[in-house]
């Protein structure tokens, strides 16, 4: 039984390189779906799901699956993912540089 579905976005130098649907079941097992066949099977499973409680599905995952329409599909998700990636890298660099100053030479 599916418990959560999220959309994970990877970036490369040329922009968005990959979007992966992360599906987690009630036992904690996580599965990444990238293919069109996997997306179609997940969409059918979510549409047929009658279990209670319903799986928690992120809005970005619903838009990517085509279940929900949006005026600006995945723009907010992509911008937030990019900002988190850039800020994470900047935080890592700042931490490494701060620790490098503390090392006695």
């Amino acid at each position: 039984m599916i418990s959560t579905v999220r959309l994970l976005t990877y970036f490369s130098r040329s922009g968005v390189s990959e979007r992966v649907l992360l599906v987690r079941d009630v036992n904690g097992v996580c599965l990444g779906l990238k293919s069109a066949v996997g997306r179609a099977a997940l969409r059918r499973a979510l549409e047929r799901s009658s279990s209670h409680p319903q799986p928690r599905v992120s809005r970005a995952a619903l838009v990517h699956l085509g279940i929900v329409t949006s005026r600006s599909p995945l723009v907010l998700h992509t911008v937030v993912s990019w900002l988190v990636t850039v800020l994470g890298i900047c935080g890592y660099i700042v931490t490494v540089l701060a620790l490098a100053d503390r090392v006695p030479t």
Side-chain angles (χ1 to χ4, degrees), residues 11-105:
F11 296 96
S12 66
R13 291 182 186 162
S14 61
V16 175
S17 62
E18 194 170 307
R19 296 189 192 275
V20 179
L21 287 163
L22 295 177
V23 181
R24 186 175 301 272
D25 70 358
V26 292
N27 297 318
V29 177
C30 192
L31 175 68
L33 301 174
K34 297 189 311 185
S35 69
V37 174
R39 284 192 307 269
L42 178 60
R43 180 180 177 164
R44 281 192 306 274
L46 289 174
E47 288 172 345
R48 293 179 184 169
S49 176
S50 62
S51 63
H52 295 293
Q54 288 289 325
R56 290 181 14 198
V57 184
S58 70
R59 179 141 179 93
L62 288 172
V63 170
H64 188 63
L65 287 169
I67 296 174
V68 173
T69 58
S70 176
R71 289 187 309 255
S72 56
L74 300 178
V75 171
L76 180 63
H77 170 78
T78 304
V79 169
V80 170
S81 298
W82 184 81
L83 284 174
V84 167
T85 302
V86 169
L87 293 175
I89 291 169
C90 290
Y92 175 78
I93 291 170
V94 167
T95 303
V96 168
L97 292 175
L99 291 174
D101 287 339
R102 294 183 185 180
V103 176
T105 55

